[in-house]
């Protein structure tokens, strides 16, 4: 059980760390900086396995006419896809549309099975809440997606001591 808990703690730290990085770019920088090309390959790790975003802001150089808000919304969508990728151990890569189309209870059972959660209710609930954030971020309508600050707030509520 210790391995499962530490594996899950690492996944939670990775997802929350990416959200914190995006929140910094979107909300703390002035002017805000959309990442513009967020994907799992643009996340590097320091010696303590804390995620660091790379290659951000390059879209502003190559496509300066796309409004920052649109690019931030696309960042959110791709962040949701990264959550799905982490939760599924890489099986749901670039799968926002697939996840939205699949019945949520089926998707949840697949993710629980992939993470070998079994009857551990606290982990089941945490994964369910994290999946909810991923599904909110990958909504097809940009106006129905949360801001990265809202997503981070939801994820931060999952942090356990």
């Amino acid at each position: 059980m210790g391995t499962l808990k530490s594996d899950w703690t690492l996944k939670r730290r990775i997802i929350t760390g990416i959200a914190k990085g995006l929140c910094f770019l979107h909300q703390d920088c002035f002017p805000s900086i959309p990442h513009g090309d967020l994907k799992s390959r643009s996340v590097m790790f320091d010696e303590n396995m804390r995620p660091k975003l790379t290659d951000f802001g390059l879209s502003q150089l190559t496509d300066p006419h796309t409004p920052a808000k649109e690019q931030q919304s696309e960042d959110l969508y791709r962040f949701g896809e990264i959550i799905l990728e982490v939760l599924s151990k890489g099986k749901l890569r670039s799968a926002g549309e697939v996840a939205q189309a699949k019945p949520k209870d089926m998707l949840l059972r697949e993710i629980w099975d992939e993470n070998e959660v079994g009857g551990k209710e606290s982990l089941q609930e945490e994964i369910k809440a994290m999946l909810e954030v991923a599904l909110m971020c990958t909504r097809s309508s940009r106006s129905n997606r949360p801001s990265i600050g809202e997503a981070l707030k939801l994820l931060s509520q999952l942090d356990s001591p």
Side-chain angles (χ1 to χ4, degrees):
M1 181 163 158
T3 305
L4 176 63
K5 183 67 176 166
S6 62
D7 183 48
W8 180 249
T9 300
L10 179 60
K11 287 180 180 189
R12 185 185 339 109
R13 183 180 346 147
I14 289 168
I15 291 168
T16 304
I18 294 169
K20 287 178 181 177
L22 275 179
C23 195
F24 174 78
L25 292 173
H26 288 192
Q27 297 180 349
D28 296 342
C29 291
F30 184 78
S32 66
I33 303 170
H35 188 284
D37 192 27
L38 186 64
K39 55 186 168 278
S40 55
R41 287 190 319 254
S42 59
V43 178
M44 300 294 170
F45 297 92
D46 68 11
E47 65 278 358
N48 296 313
M49 287 300 293
R50 285 185 294 239
K52 307 293 181 186
L53 298 180
T54 63
D55 301 331
F56 55 86
L58 298 178
S59 64
Q60 293 291 39
L61 298 174
T62 59
D63 188 14
H65 303 296
T66 302
K69 287 289 182 197
E70 282 184 32
Q71 290 180 353
Q72 287 177 354
S73 183
E74 185 63 23
D75 285 352
L76 245 314
Y77 186 89
R78 291 187 177 188
F79 172 62
E81 289 188 323
I82 288 174
I83 294 174
L84 292 169
E85 187 175 339
V86 170
L87 291 179
S88 69
K89 296 184 176 182
K91 291 186 177 180
L92 291 174
R93 185 166 286 155
S94 300
E97 289 181 28
V98 171
Q100 290 290 337
K102 190 175 270 195
K104 188 168 58 172
D105 59 332
M106 180 186 292
L107 183 61
L108 193 54
R109 278 195 304 276
E110 289 174 8
I111 291 171
W112 284 342
D113 290 347
E114 187 63 41
N115 286 279
E116 300 172 3
V117 172
K120 298 169 186 77
E121 285 186 39
S122 62
L123 284 178
Q124 287 179 346
E125 288 303 312
E126 199 168 337
I127 290 171
K128 182 179 179 181
M130 199 163 281
L131 177 61
E132 288 288 341
V133 173
L135 293 174
M136 285 190 279
C137 291
T138 57
R139 289 176 178 156
S140 58
S141 173
R142 292 173 194 246
S143 62
N144 290 332
R145 294 178 196 155
S147 70
I148 189 60
E150 292 164 336
L152 178 58
K153 184 176 180 181
L154 292 169
L155 293 169
S156 295
Q157 293 170 356
L158 301 176
D159 284 338
S160 57

